Amino acid sequence: MAFVMGNKALLETQRELRTHVPNFTFNLGFSGKFFHAGSDEEDLGDDLLLSYVKEFWWFPHMWSHMQPHLFHNQSVLAEQMLLNKKFAMEHGIPTNMGYAVAPHHSGVYPVHMQLYDAWKKVWGIKVTSTEEYPHLKPARFRRGFIHSGISVLPRQTCGLFTHTIFYKDYPGSPNELDKLINGGELFLTVLLNPISIFMTHLSNYGNDRLGLYTFKSLVMFVQTWTNLKMQTLPPIQLAQKYFSLFPSERDPLWQDPCEDKRHKDIWSKEKTCDRFPKLLVIGPQKTGTTALYLFLGMHPDLTSNYPSKETFEEIQFFNGHNYHRGIDWYMEYFPLPSNTSSDYYFEKSANYFDSEVAAQRAAALLPKAKIITILINPADRAYSWYQHQRAHDDPVALKYSFHDVITAGHDAPVKLRVLQNRCLVPGWYAIHLERWLNYYHSSQLLVLDGQMLKTEPASVMDKIQKFLGLANIINYHKILAFDPKKGFWCQLLEGGKTKCLGKSKGRRYPDMDAESQGFLREYYRDHNIELSKLLYRMGQPLPSWLREELVHTRASRCHCPDDGLLCVLKEEEEEEEGRLRDAQEGTFSV
Ligand code: A3P
């Protein structure tokens, strides 16, 4: 009668634990298909448990304990859940707790959107838990996140598994289990985490009732040796508490599911990491990113993303709200890999460059990716961006001159200040590049001279092909042609015609006024110096425009006596002198 006794003991233990932990309640998972599917005594145990149904909390654990990631079709998954729900209703099991657990952690992380959608549809699930985010080990790094309206809480490991059901057979010796509890890892888990969620299997509540033994002993040990106050909360309140304690964990950080074998095993077989890009063109905006995107797409080994309806060719996944749509959404932008098509996927989203979050997110999902950035003189970039905003009828850009925008002071209207920031901040190149270098090795990053991309795109494409290590090297001198009417290089089509970028790229507008030029030269001076140091460190050549700016910097910082013979460099500039000389000679080569 082990199961009957075990189930009685469950209730008794709950009552006992409540005297130490207010509101302590076991949360029991059910897979309806296995109800009354055991031996006679196990079936009796099932009945007994249901006779106390109101004493416990309950969560659905899938009708037949199937792993959700095996269901590609959301409606089939929902049908399975409905069977379990019907079972719950027939047996008076509450269906409104808003909490569920997926068998074997499947579908929770890595996220299987079909599971999230079916859970919400059938059960109104708001909370779940897993041991797998971001990874099972090390346990102390487990975190929570919120995705698609479902709070995913970190679950802890309690040392009891399906195979550890008898005290005397505990791996190592029974003493090992006691050590875990009495000051060992299990105790430390409770001590170091303000919220702990544990889960063990039914077999640990029958047999030797190790589940009950473990939690009772743990509570006693914690109460004896600490002054921690323990309490139990229902799942939804628990999730609210968790994310109010750890608000920074709300946003998930998607990892590459193929970097962790456990994750790969619980990821749908329909999904493949070969559907992620291997190259990101990160911008910044207005540096020639669309031209580069077109030229890359002409290469037979490279495949671009499908265009986005919202943002034209750009997916804009890593920098903004699209990230919260998850990696299934992102992958949909790339073709399913096939033997016939090339699988070197790339995407460009020009505002990744200066995003606070894109580098970290990209590196988590695409740690091996290659990254390309294009830099033009930040002053020209700012001006091109301003013209772009005017062309898009931005009322603030239409109202104020470029000079007004770049020189607006702290007391200027908020809208103008916002526009100013968006105009100028992407040009703080060194600061943004440093952020990417925090997450990617410098050998993964290629910095292109945007001026050269404009004037000698074929040579730039040679460099890129080498950087990417492509098998086929294409001679872009033969497939690009300068279009005098457009004033830019374009794709050469059969019959000698050219396909150029639309009129929004390579716009015609008056030159920047001299006063703004002077202001921006001063404004970006230190940023440009920092950039030169950074590129030097990276072993990348300085773009031509940067060399010119540095030369200008030196000239303007020299204090020339009247006879004009002697230039006195400031102390800090002396340090730079050697580098400036190299820059002038163009000897910063890789
Ligand atoms: P302007 O329109 O201000 O001249 P992005 O695609 O990143 O928004 O950059 C647009 C800029 O790309 C254009 O800015 C243009 O100067 C530059 N560009 C570089 N090569 C080009 C090309 N082959 N065709 C069109 N524009 C090109």
Side-chain angles (χ1 to χ4, degrees), residues 224-240:
T224 308
W225 294 102
T226 74
N227 44 25
L228 290 179
K229 283 204 175 69
M230 290 175 277
Q231 63 162 323
T232 303
L233 289 177
I236 293 178
Q237 274 168 262
L238 191 67
Q240 282 162 352

Side-chain angles (χ1 to χ4, degrees), residues 386 393-401 405 415-417 419:
Y386 168 78
D393 292 332
D394 179 326
V396 191
L398 289 174
K399 183 168 171 192
Y400 296 97
S401 71
V405 172
K415 278 183 188 165
L416 180 56
R417 296 279 295 160
L419 189 83

